[in-house]
Amino acid sequence: MRALLVTSLGVTCAAALTLPLAAPALSAPAVPSASVRPPSSAAESPGSGPPSVRAAELPVAASRAAAEAAGSTQSLPLAPLVAPSDRSMGAGAAAGQGLERRTARPFSLVGVVWDDADAELHGTVQVRTRAAGSANWSGWQDVETHNAEHAADLGSDERSSGAVRGATAPLWVGDSDGVEVRVLPEAADPQNRSAAAPLPEGLRLELVDPGPDPAPEPAAEAAPEPARAAPEPARAAPAGRSATTAALAVNPAPPTTPVVLPEVLTAESEAASAVNAELAPLGATFIPALTKAETVEAANVAAGAKPYIGPRPGIVTRKGWGADERLRERQFAYTRTVKAAFVHHSATGNNYTCKQAPSVLRSIYRYHVKSSGWRDFGYNFAVDKCGNIYEGRAGGVTKAVLGAHTLGFNSNTMGIAVLGSYSSTNPPAAAVTAVSKLTAWKLGLFGANPKGKVTLTSGGSNKYKAGTKVKMNVISGHRDGFATECPGARLYKKLGTARTSSAKLQGR
């Protein structure tokens, strides 16, 4: 059963290696700006917005710089590893697949993919990486292999596109230029170690470079006023020239004054921003927070009705974290409403700073689209360890955007990913608070009670067969809809706090 609407406007979460959690100060990340690039040569699509930019209007150098800043993916096929010499493994023990230590182009996130999205990887995946520009190699780090539960629903257009591949969770490793990986199958029968489960076909190591954060938009500095002669008396502007143009002709700006040109948005960037036009100017990198009263007014709550909605939190837009809108599908996909919110952890590890969060998001986005074959970033929103909230899948933060986050329950829900791994590490209080603020506002837009229950119909998962009606919390963890470790035991324990705080923010 699908609820997919394409309008004219237009993953990973289980027990991953838990790295030491830093304790950064609560601060907003550096907000990058989007790069300018020529539009796609493909035919215009309703989801791409108005074709306001033409390739001929953009300098070649600017488009080349944009391409270089957009990031990249190295996809390396795995090879059989030398068979283990440990005789206790038995004569039939499988050696697994992998890659020996090697130098690579710079990357910051890794994952393993394979051909068949329906095939599972029964085994372990481990990587170790070399810090960029050094001889320092990390120890072996585990990559979460159970990732199939983060995907579009079975039978959906996204799942049936033919582009979707099986994939592990992505793992953030920071700036690196060397890698080694090993994929070892688990024994099909623990009592008979000679019989190993086969690994999926077409295993490849994905090395993702998020690209540098785009330079912040320059602010024009006031230049010293040069000595000038007494101004001439004002005169009428000649025909065909504005008064401003005529004035500049008489008193031209001093050559030392920097000229700041207005940013030119690509059609895709304009479309992704236009769906939030009621909340922030076109091309905005941040949607500002509102007070409770301002939120109620903006939500057009009927006179006399009880406004059960929390204040709108500040949200970093896709442009704010540097999403390359060329990667995603041009059209946006929607579901009918938002009845519930599923909370996830990204399982990408905790070894990131809040300043790096936009890079982590760009890496996950590229991994979801280019490596896993999804239409866009899987989650509707993301939250970092400092409590900053980010727009996820494109389509508008106030709208019921169809995500790919909880297999079987993507329809009529939203997915929130807390960046990090929280199976054995406590989530920062700032992140839990951000989840409360976000759900109080977004669920309030659709009349949902954060402390309430809701009945959802499964689209098919390993926990509920397709068509099964399931009663669950309005704010649920991923494991409530699928047999998975996600969102990690420690984060899952905090959901009760999030529900209570969210409801209080709504005024319940």
Side-chain angles (χ1 to χ4, degrees):
M1 174 177 179
R2 293 175 290 163
L4 176 65
L5 298 176
V6 180
T7 74
S8 59
L9 282 176
V11 192
T12 349
C13 179
L17 173 69
T18 302
L19 301 176
L21 179 63
L26 180 60
S27 60
V31 178
S33 60
S35 301
V36 177
R37 71 163 188 89
S40 169
S41 59
E44 292 296 332
S45 159
S48 63
S52 58
V53 182
R54 300 301 177 196
E57 299 173 2
L58 298 173
V60 174
S63 62
R64 183 181 299 116
E68 292 173 351
S72 64
T73 302
Q74 302 170 67
S75 186
L76 309 176
L78 302 191
L81 294 174
V82 176
S85 58
D86 185 357
R87 294 182 180 180
S88 66
M89 292 293 292
Q97 297 183 36
L99 292 174
E100 300 296 337
R101 287 191 181 190
R102 63 179 58 204
T103 296
R105 298 195 306 274
F107 63 93
S108 297
L109 179 140
V110 303
V112 172
V113 301
W114 53 92
D115 295 340
D116 186 358
D118 294 325
E120 294 188 32
L121 196 163
H122 296 285
T124 60
V125 176
Q126 294 181 312
V127 298
R128 52 185 174 189
T129 55
R130 183 180 63 202
S134 76
N136 301 324
W137 285 83
S138 71
W140 285 107
Q141 301 184 69
D142 293 321
V143 179
E144 174 55 49
T145 59
H146 299 292
N147 189 48
E149 63 269 25
H150 301 81
D153 289 341
L154 300 175
S156 66
D157 289 344
E158 183 170 3
R159 179 74 178 210
S160 306
S161 68
V164 178
R165 290 177 284 276
T168 67
L171 178 68
W172 176 260
V173 294
D175 295 341
S176 306
D177 60 13
V179 67
E180 181 177 8
V181 60
R182 61 189 184 192
V183 181
L184 303 177
E186 67 182 15
D189 180 0
Q191 302 301 319
N192 180 11
R193 301 179 69 185
S194 63
L199 294 173
E201 296 291 334
L203 289 171
R204 304 182 72 89
L205 174 67
E206 304 289 290
L207 306 177
V208 180
D209 172 21
D213 289 336
E217 297 176 1
E221 298 179 357
E225 278 290 330
R228 291 189 181 187
E232 295 184 11
R235 66 183 73 174
R241 301 174 68 190
S242 67
T244 301
T245 303
L248 287 174
V250 175
N251 293 309
T256 54
T257 301
V259 177
V260 180
L261 297 176
E263 181 183 9
V264 179
L265 295 176
T266 65
E268 296 92 343
S269 294
E270 187 171 331
S273 182
V275 286
N276 293 318
E278 294 183 358
L279 313 180
L282 193 66
T285 58
F286 188 74
I287 296 171
L290 296 180
T291 65
K292 173 86 168 181
E294 291 170 335
T295 302
V296 171
E297 182 180 358
N300 295 321
V301 177
K306 180 68 174 178
Y308 289 121
I309 185 171
R312 187 180 78 197
I315 302 172
V316 179
T317 66
R318 288 171 63 91
K319 185 175 184 298
W321 53 264
D324 181 355
E325 301 296 351
R326 296 172 296 182
L327 299 182
R328 65 170 174 82
E329 284 196 15
R330 294 166 70 93
Q331 295 179 320
F332 306 134
Y334 297 96
T335 185
R336 288 186 296 106
T337 186
V338 178
K339 294 181 178 180
F342 283 100
V343 178
H344 306 252
H345 65 179
S346 64
T348 45
N350 301 318
N351 194 26
Y352 75 94
T353 66
C354 294
K355 185 177 180 180
Q356 292 174 318
S359 293
V360 176
L361 288 170
R362 292 197 303 276
S363 298
I364 297 174
Y365 172 41
R366 178 171 279 274
Y367 185 75
H368 281 177
V369 177
K370 302 298 287 185
S371 301
S372 304
W374 298 359
R375 65 178 296 128
D376 193 355
F377 187 82
Y379 308 103
N380 298 103
F381 295 92
V383 172
D384 69 22
K385 62 176 70 173
C386 289
N388 300 302
I389 300 172
Y390 302 85
E391 178 184 14
R393 180 164 286 206
V397 297
T398 63
K399 297 176 172 56
V401 178
L402 180 65
H405 49 83
T406 308
L407 182 64
F409 293 98
N410 290 307
S411 294
N412 302 324
T413 69
M414 69 175 185
I416 304 169
V418 180
L419 299 181
S421 302
Y422 300 107
S423 295
S424 57
T425 299
N426 288 325
V432 178
T433 298
V435 171
S436 300
K437 291 180 177 179
L438 176 59
T439 52
W441 170 69
K442 184 64 184 275
L443 291 174
L445 291 175
F446 293 87
N449 181 354
K451 291 184 69 175
K453 300 284 186 179
V454 64
T455 299
L456 301 174
T457 302
S458 173
S461 73
N462 68 351
K463 193 170 184 177
Y464 299 106
K465 294 181 180 180
T468 303
K469 294 187 180 302
V470 184
K471 188 175 183 179
M472 58 181 68
N473 291 311
V474 169
I475 298 179
S476 288
H478 188 183
R479 62 175 62 182
D480 294 320
F482 197 99
T484 175
E485 168 65 14
C486 185
R490 300 291 183 89
L491 178 54
Y492 188 75
K493 289 181 179 179
K494 297 293 184 180
L495 295 188
T497 299
R499 294 182 192 108
T500 301
S501 298
S502 181
K504 185 175 181 180
L505 287 168
Q506 282 192 348
R508 296 183 186 271

